[in-house]
Amino acid sequence: MPRADFYLIGKPRFREQPLLLVCELARKASDAGLPMLVLCASTAQAEALDDLLWSFDPDAYVPHQIVGADEDEDEVPVLIAAPEHDAALRPLVLNLRDAAVPDGFERVLEVVPADESARGPLRERWKQYQARGVELGKHDM
């Protein structure tokens, strides 16, 4: 059964820079040998994530690339997709876009902003996954 995990931002360091949470989740997936696709909301967000993955932790290396940057995308543990690039879903997807991920994943991670007024769309997404029979989980971060 597919699973959707919602990560609610609460810690000050994630409130200040939400993409840090994405970096932590990408590192965890990479360390576990789980190929991840990150669906970014914009090209600027994809580029910012690409830059941050190089610098967020001086002791960590998370192999990654943006879709379209190289031919060997299947070999990259963390693949970052801007909206204008199509990428095949991987079993593990981290979704930063405005819509729920279509069927085809084993697990999807959704980052929920700290700002209460921005959480409405994520609540709707929760209901959409629930209606599709996706197992749901919530994590306070």
Side-chain angles (χ1 to χ4, degrees), residues 42-88:
S42 68
T43 300
Q45 185 182 56
E47 291 169 353
L49 178 58
D50 179 49
D51 290 344
L52 193 57
L53 279 166
W54 288 110
S55 63
F56 82 102
D57 182 341
D59 297 325
Y61 171 66
V62 179
H64 66 282
Q65 78 179 40
I66 295 178
V67 172
D70 193 2
E71 300 281 326
D72 296 327
E73 293 173 351
D74 292 339
E75 304 299 318
V76 179
V78 177
L79 193 57
I80 303 166
E84 64 272 11
H85 288 72
D86 288 327

Side-chain angles (χ1 to χ4, degrees), residues 15 32-33 37 47 50 54 69 72 88 97 100 103 120 135 137:
R15 282 178 180 263
L37 174 64
E47 291 169 353
D50 179 49
W54 288 110
D72 296 327
R97 295 187 182 165
D103 293 332
E135 183 181 340

Side-chain angles (χ1 to χ4, degrees), residues 3-139:
R3 179 176 173 86
D5 286 293
F6 287 73
Y7 290 83
L8 286 71
I9 292 178
K11 292 180 182 176
R13 71 185 186 117
F14 296 143
R15 282 178 180 263
E16 293 167 13
Q17 197 169 15
L19 286 181
L20 277 177
L21 176 57
V22 176
C23 289
E24 293 291 346
L25 294 170
R27 173 175 44 192
K28 192 173 179 181
S30 178
D31 289 350
L34 301 171
M36 173 187 274
L37 174 64
V38 181
L39 298 174
C40 290
S42 68
T43 300
Q45 185 182 56
E47 291 169 353
L49 178 58
D50 179 49
D51 290 344
L52 193 57
L53 279 166
W54 288 110
S55 63
F56 82 102
D57 182 341
D59 297 325
Y61 171 66
V62 179
H64 66 282
Q65 78 179 40
I66 295 178
V67 172
D70 193 2
E71 300 281 326
D72 296 327
E73 293 173 351
D74 292 339
E75 304 299 318
V76 179
V78 177
L79 193 57
I80 303 166
E84 64 272 11
H85 288 72
D86 288 327
L89 287 182
R90 290 180 167 191
L92 179 59
V93 177
L94 194 151
N95 186 28
L96 299 173
R97 295 187 182 165
D98 293 333
V101 177
D103 293 332
F105 59 84
E106 290 176 17
R107 186 171 175 214
V108 65
L109 312 179
E110 297 276 357
V111 175
V112 182
D115 180 6
E116 186 62 37
S117 66
R119 290 186 171 186
L122 277 297
R123 288 186 182 100
E124 286 304 312
R125 207 169 306 165
W126 176 284
K127 292 175 189 174
Q128 291 171 5
Y129 288 128
Q130 190 174 41
R132 290 168 31 195
V134 174
E135 183 181 340
L136 299 169
K138 180 182 80 116
H139 310 276

